[in-house]
Amino acid sequence: QVQLVESGGGLVQPGGSLRLSCAASGSGFSIRAMGWNRQAPGKTRDLVASITSTGTTNYADSVKGRFAISRDNAKNTVYLQMDSLKPEDTAVYSCYIDYTKPYVSTLRTWGQGTQVTVSS
């Protein structure tokens, strides 16, 4: 079974930075895309950023130029560097991976979520 463990959330002042990490563990799987979504209170869960196995990235318009997604394939880890944070970035951030296993179609699994609060 593939599991994800997130870290790096917390409280930060507007204009500050945080770096989220998400590490995948398990055996016999091959990761394809990785990404981060977020959900603010009373809102839907929306894509923040994603990265393919070849390094192509995609960002929500609201975070372009402020957030950067990256991955370390040797560590099965995806990162989200968040700079110039705004109060409207406050949300629970959840990572995901799309992966394959022998004889199995692409699956997606999610992390447990980590709270990011931007407030003075």
Side-chain angles (χ1 to χ4, degrees):
Q1 185 176 359
V2 179
Q3 293 185 321
L4 303 181
V5 177
E6 301 176 16
S7 60
L11 172 64
V12 63
Q13 292 186 341
S17 299
L18 282 175
R19 188 192 195 207
L20 306 182
S21 299
C22 174
S25 62
S27 63
F29 66 100
S30 178
I31 298 176
R32 304 182 74 172
M34 310 176 84
W36 293 89
N37 283 27
R38 69 184 181 187
Q39 186 168 21
K43 296 190 176 181
T44 58
R45 184 166 63 181
D46 296 324
L47 177 69
V48 176
S50 64
I51 184 167
T52 68
S53 58
T54 57
T56 300
T57 57
N58 180 51
Y59 295 94
D61 288 342
S62 59
V63 306
K64 283 181 180 177
R66 299 188 298 121
F67 290 11
I69 189 170
S70 61
R71 61 190 285 171
D72 184 334
N73 292 328
K75 297 181 178 179
N76 288 337
T77 299
V78 61
Y79 305 97
L80 185 68
Q81 178 66 42
M82 305 184 292
D83 298 322
S84 302
L85 282 161
K86 304 175 181 179
E88 51 263 43
D89 294 318
T90 296
V92 174
Y93 285 70
S94 300
C95 65
Y96 70 86
I97 65 166
D98 294 334
Y99 67 97
T100 59
K101 300 188 94 172
Y103 313 111
V104 178
S105 301
T106 302
L107 301 172
R108 174 170 290 188
T109 193
W110 293 87
Q112 79 279 9
T114 185
Q115 178 69 45
V116 171
T117 302
V118 185
S119 175
S120 56

